[in-house]
Amino acid sequence: NIAMAAQMTDSHRRFLQILMSHGIMEGSEARKLHRHCCEIHKVYYAHDKLDDFINTINVHLQPLFMQIRKGTSEDDGRVRYALVNLAETEITKMASDYAENELELFRKTMDLIILSENGFASSTEILNFADQLKTKKMKKKEAEQVLKLFVEDKWLSEKNGEYTLHTRCIMEMEQYILSNYQGVARKCNICHSLAIQSQVCETCGIGMHLPCVGKYFKAQTEPHCPHCNDFWPHEIP
């Protein structure tokens, strides 16, 4: 309701500014920030109204093709809020920040991650592509720096030399990924958002996020696929 959402106050502006500098924020952090912004600017604060508060900001962001989106982290299943760009969710948006060969390396990395079994690509796999880039070959050292940059800029995240797509990247690029990797990119059978880090049923091919797998099978002694009912062969996280 636009009439309801019309009053954008300094508390909203401060919230947006801080979220902008972070790019993405955990739910509990966002709730703290909401309270902080209301208190500083002495406006009414209701602890259960964060989503309404954000909706007010989103109405004002509409003409700028930006939006604060609520999503879930694949690592821990917790809520995240991210500021995303709706105008160019494609990789073109990255084009202003990175050189052509860096973008090509990112696309290769994305391929490896999405086409992998579990949603990860090893640094070795990625670095092997560095000297095969069509745009301009990269030395290993150079490629390592670029990967570091992708992690800093929240396009990738890294654990023990394994890379996956950062939550913010998934939230921003979900449509791009689903349309460019048709038949490969899966939605989670439980929460229906894009699943990169996932387990896949060996019989029917549905996928589930690791946190969703954990929640879904918590009460079951014998895990069976929610779709085809076959035995679930993976280790339950």
PDB file of all heavy atoms in Angstrom, residues 26-44:
ATOM      1  N   GLU A  26      22.746 -10.154   8.223  1.00  0.00           N
ATOM      2  CA  GLU A  26      21.987 -11.222   8.852  1.00  0.00           C
ATOM      3  C   GLU A  26      20.725 -10.662   9.498  1.00  0.00           C
ATOM      4  O   GLU A  26      20.709  -9.516   9.940  1.00  0.00           O
ATOM      5  CB  GLU A  26      22.873 -11.878   9.908  1.00  0.00           C
ATOM      6  CG  GLU A  26      22.498 -13.319  10.150  1.00  0.00           C
ATOM      7  CD  GLU A  26      23.411 -13.976  11.162  1.00  0.00           C
ATOM      8  OE1 GLU A  26      24.599 -14.165  10.858  1.00  0.00           O
ATOM      9  OE2 GLU A  26      22.908 -14.281  12.254  1.00  0.00           O
ATOM     10  N   GLY A  27      19.693 -11.476   9.582  1.00  0.00           N
ATOM     11  CA  GLY A  27      18.406 -11.051  10.143  1.00  0.00           C
ATOM     12  C   GLY A  27      18.528 -10.379  11.498  1.00  0.00           C
ATOM     13  O   GLY A  27      17.933  -9.321  11.735  1.00  0.00           O
ATOM     14  N   SER A  28      19.323 -10.973  12.394  1.00  0.00           N
ATOM     15  CA  SER A  28      19.421 -10.419  13.752  1.00  0.00           C
ATOM     16  C   SER A  28      20.100  -9.049  13.727  1.00  0.00           C
ATOM     17  O   SER A  28      19.741  -8.149  14.484  1.00  0.00           O
ATOM     18  CB  SER A  28      20.193 -11.370  14.663  1.00  0.00           C
ATOM     19  OG  SER A  28      21.467 -11.617  14.114  1.00  0.00           O
ATOM     20  N   GLU A  29      21.080  -8.893  12.831  1.00  0.00           N
ATOM     21  CA  GLU A  29      21.761  -7.601  12.669  1.00  0.00           C
ATOM     22  C   GLU A  29      20.785  -6.553  12.143  1.00  0.00           C
ATOM     23  O   GLU A  29      20.772  -5.409  12.587  1.00  0.00           O
ATOM     24  CB  GLU A  29      22.910  -7.721  11.663  1.00  0.00           C
ATOM     25  CG  GLU A  29      24.095  -8.531  12.160  1.00  0.00           C
ATOM     26  CD  GLU A  29      24.762  -7.886  13.354  1.00  0.00           C
ATOM     27  OE1 GLU A  29      25.194  -6.721  13.230  1.00  0.00           O
ATOM     28  OE2 GLU A  29      24.827  -8.519  14.428  1.00  0.00           O
ATOM     29  N   ALA A  30      19.973  -6.967  11.157  1.00  0.00           N
ATOM     30  CA  ALA A  30      19.004  -6.039  10.554  1.00  0.00           C
ATOM     31  C   ALA A  30      17.982  -5.595  11.596  1.00  0.00           C
ATOM     32  O   ALA A  30      17.585  -4.427  11.635  1.00  0.00           O
ATOM     33  CB  ALA A  30      18.313  -6.699   9.362  1.00  0.00           C
ATOM     34  N   ARG A  31      17.579  -6.520  12.463  1.00  0.00           N
ATOM     35  CA  ARG A  31      16.616  -6.148  13.516  1.00  0.00           C
ATOM     36  C   ARG A  31      17.226  -5.147  14.490  1.00  0.00           C
ATOM     37  O   ARG A  31      16.585  -4.180  14.898  1.00  0.00           O
ATOM     38  CB  ARG A  31      16.109  -7.399  14.254  1.00  0.00           C
ATOM     39  CG  ARG A  31      15.146  -8.235  13.402  1.00  0.00           C
ATOM     40  CD  ARG A  31      14.419  -9.313  14.217  1.00  0.00           C
ATOM     41  NE  ARG A  31      15.316 -10.326  14.750  1.00  0.00           N
ATOM     42  CZ  ARG A  31      15.752 -11.367  14.047  1.00  0.00           C
ATOM     43  NH1 ARG A  31      15.370 -11.520  12.788  1.00  0.00           N
ATOM     44  NH2 ARG A  31      16.562 -12.257  14.598  1.00  0.00           N
ATOM     45  N   LYS A  32      18.495  -5.376  14.838  1.00  0.00           N
ATOM     46  CA  LYS A  32      19.194  -4.432  15.733  1.00  0.00           C
ATOM     47  C   LYS A  32      19.299  -3.063  15.076  1.00  0.00           C
ATOM     48  O   LYS A  32      19.103  -2.032  15.703  1.00  0.00           O
ATOM     49  CB  LYS A  32      20.606  -4.934  16.038  1.00  0.00           C
ATOM     50  CG  LYS A  32      20.702  -5.787  17.282  1.00  0.00           C
ATOM     51  CD  LYS A  32      22.180  -6.045  17.616  1.00  0.00           C
ATOM     52  CE  LYS A  32      22.393  -7.506  17.937  1.00  0.00           C
ATOM     53  NZ  LYS A  32      23.647  -8.083  17.511  1.00  0.00           N
ATOM     54  N   LEU A  33      19.647  -3.085  13.780  1.00  0.00           N
ATOM     55  CA  LEU A  33      19.828  -1.833  13.044  1.00  0.00           C
ATOM     56  C   LEU A  33      18.504  -1.065  12.962  1.00  0.00           C
ATOM     57  O   LEU A  33      18.477   0.158  13.106  1.00  0.00           O
ATOM     58  CB  LEU A  33      20.361  -2.127  11.639  1.00  0.00           C
ATOM     59  CG  LEU A  33      20.582  -0.908  10.737  1.00  0.00           C
ATOM     60  CD1 LEU A  33      21.611   0.043  11.354  1.00  0.00           C
ATOM     61  CD2 LEU A  33      21.042  -1.336   9.335  1.00  0.00           C
ATOM     62  N   HIS A  34      17.410  -1.787  12.741  1.00  0.00           N
ATOM     63  CA  HIS A  34      16.072  -1.188  12.670  1.00  0.00           C
ATOM     64  C   HIS A  34      15.792  -0.413  13.961  1.00  0.00           C
ATOM     65  O   HIS A  34      15.397   0.753  13.954  1.00  0.00           O
ATOM     66  CB  HIS A  34      15.044  -2.325  12.463  1.00  0.00           C
ATOM     67  CG  HIS A  34      13.620  -1.884  12.529  1.00  0.00           C
ATOM     68  ND1 HIS A  34      12.609  -2.700  12.996  1.00  0.00           N
ATOM     69  CD2 HIS A  34      13.031  -0.718  12.176  1.00  0.00           C
ATOM     70  CE1 HIS A  34      11.461  -2.045  12.931  1.00  0.00           C
ATOM     71  NE2 HIS A  34      11.689  -0.844  12.439  1.00  0.00           N
ATOM     72  N   ARG A  35      16.051  -1.084  15.076  1.00  0.00           N
ATOM     73  CA  ARG A  35      15.805  -0.462  16.373  1.00  0.00           C
ATOM     74  C   ARG A  35      16.694   0.773  16.560  1.00  0.00           C
ATOM     75  O   ARG A  35      16.230   1.844  16.977  1.00  0.00           O
ATOM     76  CB  ARG A  35      16.097  -1.494  17.467  1.00  0.00           C
ATOM     77  CG  ARG A  35      15.866  -0.938  18.837  1.00  0.00           C
ATOM     78  CD  ARG A  35      16.120  -1.964  19.916  1.00  0.00           C
ATOM     79  NE  ARG A  35      15.776  -1.378  21.209  1.00  0.00           N
ATOM     80  CZ  ARG A  35      15.532  -2.099  22.284  1.00  0.00           C
ATOM     81  NH1 ARG A  35      15.594  -3.405  22.234  1.00  0.00           N
ATOM     82  NH2 ARG A  35      15.247  -1.498  23.426  1.00  0.00           N
ATOM     83  N   HIS A  36      17.971   0.594  16.246  1.00  0.00           N
ATOM     84  CA  HIS A  36      18.959   1.668  16.376  1.00  0.00           C
ATOM     85  C   HIS A  36      18.527   2.901  15.565  1.00  0.00           C
ATOM     86  O   HIS A  36      18.570   4.032  16.068  1.00  0.00           O
ATOM     87  CB  HIS A  36      20.307   1.136  15.890  1.00  0.00           C
ATOM     88  CG  HIS A  36      21.375   2.175  15.748  1.00  0.00           C
ATOM     89  ND1 HIS A  36      22.019   2.740  16.829  1.00  0.00           N
ATOM     90  CD2 HIS A  36      21.915   2.746  14.636  1.00  0.00           C
ATOM     91  CE1 HIS A  36      22.898   3.635  16.405  1.00  0.00           C
ATOM     92  NE2 HIS A  36      22.867   3.651  15.079  1.00  0.00           N
ATOM     93  N   CYS A  37      18.115   2.692  14.323  1.00  0.00           N
ATOM     94  CA  CYS A  37      17.736   3.816  13.448  1.00  0.00           C
ATOM     95  C   CYS A  37      16.492   4.531  13.962  1.00  0.00           C
ATOM     96  O   CYS A  37      16.400   5.757  13.889  1.00  0.00           O
ATOM     97  CB  CYS A  37      17.495   3.319  12.018  1.00  0.00           C
ATOM     98  SG  CYS A  37      19.004   2.743  11.219  1.00  0.00           S
ATOM     99  N   CYS A  38      15.538   3.761  14.491  1.00  0.00           N
ATOM    100  CA  CYS A  38      14.322   4.391  15.023  1.00  0.00           C
ATOM    101  C   CYS A  38      14.636   5.191  16.280  1.00  0.00           C
ATOM    102  O   CYS A  38      14.109   6.287  16.480  1.00  0.00           O
ATOM    103  CB  CYS A  38      13.262   3.338  15.329  1.00  0.00           C
ATOM    104  SG  CYS A  38      12.579   2.573  13.839  1.00  0.00           S
ATOM    105  N   GLU A  39      15.496   4.648  17.115  1.00  0.00           N
ATOM    106  CA  GLU A  39      15.815   5.340  18.376  1.00  0.00           C
ATOM    107  C   GLU A  39      16.591   6.624  18.133  1.00  0.00           C
ATOM    108  O   GLU A  39      16.308   7.655  18.724  1.00  0.00           O
ATOM    109  CB  GLU A  39      16.578   4.403  19.325  1.00  0.00           C
ATOM    110  CG  GLU A  39      15.640   3.377  19.950  1.00  0.00           C
ATOM    111  CD  GLU A  39      16.360   2.300  20.769  1.00  0.00           C
ATOM    112  OE1 GLU A  39      17.614   2.279  20.783  1.00  0.00           O
ATOM    113  OE2 GLU A  39      15.652   1.485  21.389  1.00  0.00           O
ATOM    114  N   ILE A  40      17.592   6.542  17.235  1.00  0.00           N
ATOM    115  CA  ILE A  40      18.404   7.720  16.952  1.00  0.00           C
ATOM    116  C   ILE A  40      17.548   8.861  16.399  1.00  0.00           C
ATOM    117  O   ILE A  40      17.719  10.027  16.748  1.00  0.00           O
ATOM    118  CB  ILE A  40      19.521   7.351  15.954  1.00  0.00           C
ATOM    119  CG1 ILE A  40      20.705   6.783  16.730  1.00  0.00           C
ATOM    120  CG2 ILE A  40      19.968   8.545  15.134  1.00  0.00           C
ATOM    121  CD1 ILE A  40      21.958   6.652  15.932  1.00  0.00           C
ATOM    122  N   HIS A  41      16.600   8.508  15.534  1.00  0.00           N
ATOM    123  CA  HIS A  41      15.779   9.557  14.901  1.00  0.00           C
ATOM    124  C   HIS A  41      14.435   9.746  15.606  1.00  0.00           C
ATOM    125  O   HIS A  41      13.538  10.402  15.085  1.00  0.00           O
ATOM    126  CB  HIS A  41      15.595   9.242  13.418  1.00  0.00           C
ATOM    127  CG  HIS A  41      16.890   9.315  12.658  1.00  0.00           C
ATOM    128  ND1 HIS A  41      17.506  10.508  12.362  1.00  0.00           N
ATOM    129  CD2 HIS A  41      17.703   8.343  12.190  1.00  0.00           C
ATOM    130  CE1 HIS A  41      18.645  10.265  11.718  1.00  0.00           C
ATOM    131  NE2 HIS A  41      18.787   8.962  11.604  1.00  0.00           N
ATOM    132  N   LYS A  42      14.322   9.126  16.791  1.00  0.00           N
ATOM    133  CA  LYS A  42      13.145   9.313  17.645  1.00  0.00           C
ATOM    134  C   LYS A  42      11.829   9.095  16.883  1.00  0.00           C
ATOM    135  O   LYS A  42      10.906   9.902  16.978  1.00  0.00           O
ATOM    136  CB  LYS A  42      13.175  10.704  18.296  1.00  0.00           C
ATOM    137  CG  LYS A  42      14.402  10.902  19.176  1.00  0.00           C
ATOM    138  CD  LYS A  42      14.374  12.245  19.910  1.00  0.00           C
ATOM    139  CE  LYS A  42      15.496  12.366  20.925  1.00  0.00           C
ATOM    140  NZ  LYS A  42      16.836  11.934  20.440  1.00  0.00           N
ATOM    141  N   VAL A  43      11.792   8.003  16.107  1.00  0.00           N
ATOM    142  CA  VAL A  43      10.511   7.658  15.477  1.00  0.00           C
ATOM    143  C   VAL A  43      10.020   6.362  16.113  1.00  0.00           C
ATOM    144  O   VAL A  43      10.789   5.603  16.702  1.00  0.00           O
ATOM    145  CB  VAL A  43      10.631   7.474  13.942  1.00  0.00           C
ATOM    146  CG1 VAL A  43      10.957   8.787  13.269  1.00  0.00           C
ATOM    147  CG2 VAL A  43      11.653   6.416  13.576  1.00  0.00           C
ATOM    148  N   TYR A  44       8.726   6.135  15.989  1.00  0.00           N
ATOM    149  CA  TYR A  44       8.093   4.969  16.600  1.00  0.00           C
ATOM    150  C   TYR A  44       8.776   3.683  16.143  1.00  0.00           C
ATOM    151  O   TYR A  44       9.011   3.467  14.959  1.00  0.00           O
ATOM    152  CB  TYR A  44       6.615   4.952  16.217  1.00  0.00           C
ATOM    153  CG  TYR A  44       5.901   3.707  16.666  1.00  0.00           C
ATOM    154  CD1 TYR A  44       5.688   3.465  18.019  1.00  0.00           C
ATOM    155  CD2 TYR A  44       5.457   2.765  15.729  1.00  0.00           C
ATOM    156  CE1 TYR A  44       5.043   2.312  18.440  1.00  0.00           C
ATOM    157  CE2 TYR A  44       4.806   1.602  16.152  1.00  0.00           C
ATOM    158  CZ  TYR A  44       4.608   1.383  17.510  1.00  0.00           C
ATOM    159  OH  TYR A  44       3.976   0.242  17.911  1.00  0.00           O
TER     160      TYR A  44
END
